[in-house]
Amino acid sequence: MNTNLITICESETILKLTSENRKLFEMLEDFALRNNSVMRPVIENGEKVIKAANYVGIVKLNDGTVIEILPKLAGKKAGSFSEPKKLVYQMLSALLGIPYNDRDTVDMNETFLEYFISVFARECMKIIKSGLLSGYVSVEENMTAVQGNILFAENIRKNLVHRERLYVRHDVFSPDRAENRLIKSTASLMMKLSKSHRSSQNLKQILAYLDDVKFSADYDVDFSKCVNTRNAKKYSIVLNICRLFLKNHNFSEYHGKYVAYAMLFPMEDVFKSYIAGLIKKNVHKTVKTQINGEYLFSKPEMFTLRPDIVIYDEGKPSCIVDTRWQIIEKKNDISADDMCRLYAYAQKFNCSEIVMIYPESSEKLTELPECYCVDSDEKIHIHIRFAQLYGNDKSVISP
């Protein structure tokens, strides 16, 4: 059992202040005050506690403590984290384009951070065994024979008393290219984060294979150089994981003076992306996300309307899909604001079929009608659907 691991689900209590954990509470409270959208200190039953918000992810403190926040599922037993962990693997894998097998055994003493590290190591070894990509790199150095172009100014400055040398610029065929630099930088970062002996050994092996490759000096520049050509296609999964780790490493969004690393995702965005991917996979029509261009008020243009997903048929919107990460247990849990927003979508986009998707509930809500007819002419239909979070449930997108 990892005593430095705190695993909870979103909206649950992370830590309660006691005389024994005062230092840990202060470190976590500092992070919560700096990032109150992720977690917040509150008074509950007269006691000071820190509660999680609607985010999932990992926060690693400088003392080695890891806080793992998982999705909250309807019907989940208290203290049971197997299903939420599987859901994180599945949804983030779909979001990031990472292969996922739902038959894999979930290690309850391992964070999902370790899961992505293990996938990274496995995919890197596939690339190494098939052969690292190499390219020509310009090198400037002293040599005893002419190779490439002599840099006369530099040669005079560096070799005034060494006439036997020549300072030249020439091209060498080297594995030191953008993709491999990003892999090396990610593997090095993972070495600091992983507590798994097996993953650490695999990462050491990867770094040994990349001994002739430099670390990335600028992540954004190197990512811009990664072109998805036929030869580089084998790198796509690994580079997706590199983006996940390296983009979070700059602490531009989530930070704190006691935090060693933070990787956090709003569940609204994760759920939205997961449903969008599911629709794109199963609907053989044009599917677009986060559409702009329509406003609630036209003169002057105010209050942008931005539906999550729009399905087009022959160039016209045939169905608009919105998502909400909220457990619906009864009819009154459905927000009137959400329904009004869907009506505005229908009017402004001239679309009669609207679908609102929530995560699956613990039981069938028989009190909900098949669809809501907005007006007496029944021209606008709003459907409520519940997404099965395991497997491809096509019914969520069928009006």
Side-chain angles (χ1 to χ4, degrees), residues 6 39 100 122 187 205 207 251 257 266 349 355 363 386:
I6 300 173
M39 58 183 71
Y100 168 73
R122 183 185 69 210
Q205 191 175 3
L207 289 171
F251 301 106
K257 62 181 180 179
F349 286 85
V355 180
E363 58 184 41
F386 297 91

Side-chain angles (χ1 to χ4, degrees), residues 267-286:
M267 268 310 298
E268 284 288 352
D269 293 346
V270 173
F271 184 58
K272 183 191 306 178
S273 298
Y274 177 68
I275 295 297
L278 183 64
I279 292 175
K280 289 177 180 178
K281 184 176 180 180
N282 292 291
V283 173
H284 304 295
K285 295 179 181 179
T286 301

Side-chain angles (χ1 to χ4, degrees), residues 60 113-114 116-117 120 181-196 199-200 203-204 206-207 210 215-216 219 223 241-251 259-263:
K60 183 177 182 180
L113 183 71
E114 295 287 359
F116 286 116
I117 291 175
F120 173 84
R181 289 194 294 270
L182 291 167
I183 288 177
K184 185 170 184 176
S185 296
T186 305
S188 178
L189 172 61
M190 288 179 173
M191 283 289 295
K192 301 173 185 176
L193 299 175
S194 179
K195 293 186 177 181
S196 165
S199 291
S200 296
L203 293 170
K204 286 180 182 178
I206 292 167
L207 289 171
L210 298 173
F215 289 100
S216 175
Y219 300 150
F223 276 121
I241 302 178
C242 288
R243 288 186 182 91
L244 173 64
F245 280 81
L246 297 180
K247 293 293 186 180
N248 278 277
H249 190 48
N250 60 18
F251 301 106
V259 174
Y261 188 79
M263 180 191 295

Side-chain angles (χ1 to χ4, degrees), residues 90-97 265-281 287-290 308-309 321-325 357 387 389 392:
Q90 178 179 337
M91 297 180 81
L92 290 182
S93 293
L95 176 65
L96 301 165
F265 305 88
M267 268 310 298
E268 284 288 352
D269 293 346
V270 173
F271 184 58
K272 183 191 306 178
S273 298
Y274 177 68
I275 295 297
L278 183 64
I279 292 175
K280 289 177 180 178
K281 184 176 180 180
V287 178
K288 296 182 180 180
T289 58
Q290 293 292 286
D308 292 340
I309 303 156
V321 180
D322 224 41
T323 63
R324 174 69 67 195
W325 180 256
I357 300 180
L389 298 177
N392 291 341

Side-chain angles (χ1 to χ4, degrees), residues 152-396:
F152 289 100
E154 287 296 310
N155 186 59
I156 293 171
R157 188 171 66 84
K158 293 178 178 292
N159 298 322
L160 186 61
V161 295
H162 293 282
R163 300 298 179 89
E164 76 281 5
R165 300 177 188 171
L166 292 168
Y167 196 80
V168 299
R169 179 190 291 130
H170 63 103
D171 293 335
V172 296
F173 197 63
S174 167
D176 187 22
R177 54 183 288 160
E179 295 90 343
N180 297 330
R181 289 194 294 270
L182 291 167
I183 288 177
K184 185 170 184 176
S185 296
T186 305
S188 178
L189 172 61
M190 288 179 173
M191 283 289 295
K192 301 173 185 176
L193 299 175
S194 179
K195 293 186 177 181
S196 165
H197 175 73
R198 182 177 180 181
S199 291
S200 296
Q201 291 300 111
N202 291 335
L203 293 170
K204 286 180 182 178
Q205 191 175 3
I206 292 167
L207 289 171
Y209 278 109
L210 298 173
D211 190 49
D212 294 332
V213 177
K214 297 176 183 177
F215 289 100
S216 175
D218 190 316
Y219 300 150
D220 291 330
V221 170
D222 278 342
F223 276 121
S224 69
K225 293 179 180 178
C226 297
V227 182
N228 193 22
T229 60
R230 181 173 59 86
N231 291 333
K233 191 174 181 180
K234 62 184 179 181
Y235 279 80
S236 59
I237 294 172
V238 167
L239 288 177
N240 285 341
I241 302 178
C242 288
R243 288 186 182 91
L244 173 64
F245 280 81
L246 297 180
K247 293 293 186 180
N248 278 277
H249 190 48
N250 60 18
F251 301 106
S252 60
E253 191 168 359
Y254 308 112
H255 59 280
K257 62 181 180 179
Y258 302 112
V259 174
Y261 188 79
M263 180 191 295
L264 296 156
F265 305 88
M267 268 310 298
E268 284 288 352
D269 293 346
V270 173
F271 184 58
K272 183 191 306 178
S273 298
Y274 177 68
I275 295 297
L278 183 64
I279 292 175
K280 289 177 180 178
K281 184 176 180 180
N282 292 291
V283 173
H284 304 295
K285 295 179 181 179
T286 301
V287 178
K288 296 182 180 180
T289 58
Q290 293 292 286
I291 304 299
N292 290 321
E294 294 292 340
Y295 296 86
L296 183 62
F297 299 152
S298 56
K299 290 183 180 180
E301 291 183 342
M302 293 177 64
F303 306 117
T304 303
L305 296 177
R306 187 177 296 174
D308 292 340
I309 303 156
V310 181
I311 302 172
Y312 290 85
D313 190 4
E314 296 182 354
K316 297 180 179 180
S318 61
C319 182
I320 292 176
V321 180
D322 224 41
T323 63
R324 174 69 67 195
W325 180 256
Q326 178 187 353
I327 303 299
I328 301 297
E329 297 179 343
K330 55 185 182 299
K331 182 171 63 175
N332 291 340
D333 290 339
I334 297 175
S335 167
D337 291 341
D338 286 344
M339 296 300 105
C340 291
R341 186 177 67 256
L342 297 183
Y343 177 70
Y345 290 160
Q347 292 287 355
K348 288 294 183 175
F349 286 85
N350 193 25
C351 182
S352 61
E353 298 296 334
I354 313 294
V355 180
M356 170 60 85
I357 300 180
Y358 297 99
E360 59 187 336
S361 182
S362 57
E363 58 184 41
K364 186 71 174 178
L365 298 178
T366 55
E367 60 183 357
L368 292 179
E370 286 296 319
C371 76
Y372 294 89
C373 298
V374 177
D375 49 39
S376 57
D377 295 333
E378 298 186 359
K379 292 179 181 179
I380 299 176
H381 304 138
I382 296 179
H383 308 263
I384 305 297
R385 295 286 182 264
F386 297 91
Q388 294 181 8
L389 298 177
Y390 299 96
N392 291 341
D393 180 18
K394 297 182 182 181
S395 67
V396 300

